Amino acid sequence: MAAYYPRQSSLKTGLRCACPRCGQGKLFTGLLTVRDRCLVCDFDYGRLNTDDGAAFFIIVLYSALILPLAAWFQFALDPPVWIHFLVWIPVIIVGAIALMRPFKAWLVAQQFKHNVDDADITR
Ligand SMILES: [Zn+2]
């Protein structure tokens, strides 16, 4: 008899970087590497593949947030250029990395939810 797994919220599993099927197992090994299988429910993550999807969305969405803030910073305070480098480079790097894990986990959960099979794309 197959085990029953109640439907998980893709938003919750994404934010927790958890398995989209059981909601318990950790999705990543390392920073952004998706495990081969779930350690709790043995779900095969190999059929779910987000490629650079998370990076694309983070670049587009995060830059849409950062660019207006940088423009406001410039027009409101008129700082020298080195202050911009000092402020925005760490904000961009740390923010993008911090958003990448939950966003990639959310994309994996969305693929699981909508039964996207990477092998089906070529058919
Ligand atoms: Zn699992």
Side-chain angles (χ1 to χ4, degrees), residues 14-58:
L15 288 173
R16 291 189 351 247
C17 300
C19 171
R21 182 164 82 170
C22 68
Q24 300 298 315
K26 292 182 178 178
L27 184 63
F28 295 111
T29 174
L31 184 62
L32 287 173
T33 305
V34 176
R35 293 180 188 278
D36 294 332
R37 306 188 83 78
C38 178
L39 298 176
V40 175
C41 69
D42 202 37
F43 178 69
D44 182 11
Y45 297 134
R47 54 179 274 229
L48 305 175
N49 185 2
T50 62
D51 284 330
D52 295 332
F56 171 77
F57 283 111
I58 294 300

Side-chain angles (χ1 to χ4, degrees), residues 94-115:
V94 171
I97 290 172
L99 289 173
M100 191 69 80
R101 278 174 63 94
F103 204 87
K104 186 170 184 172
W106 176 76
L107 282 179
V108 168
Q110 284 293 310
Q111 286 184 336
F112 176 78
K113 179 180 176 182
H114 297 289
N115 292 321

Side-chain angles (χ1 to χ4, degrees), residues 61-80:
L61 297 175
Y62 199 53
S63 64
L65 174 71
I66 293 298
L67 287 175
L69 286 175
W72 171 83
F73 189 69
Q74 172 61 35
F75 293 125
L77 304 175
D78 197 22

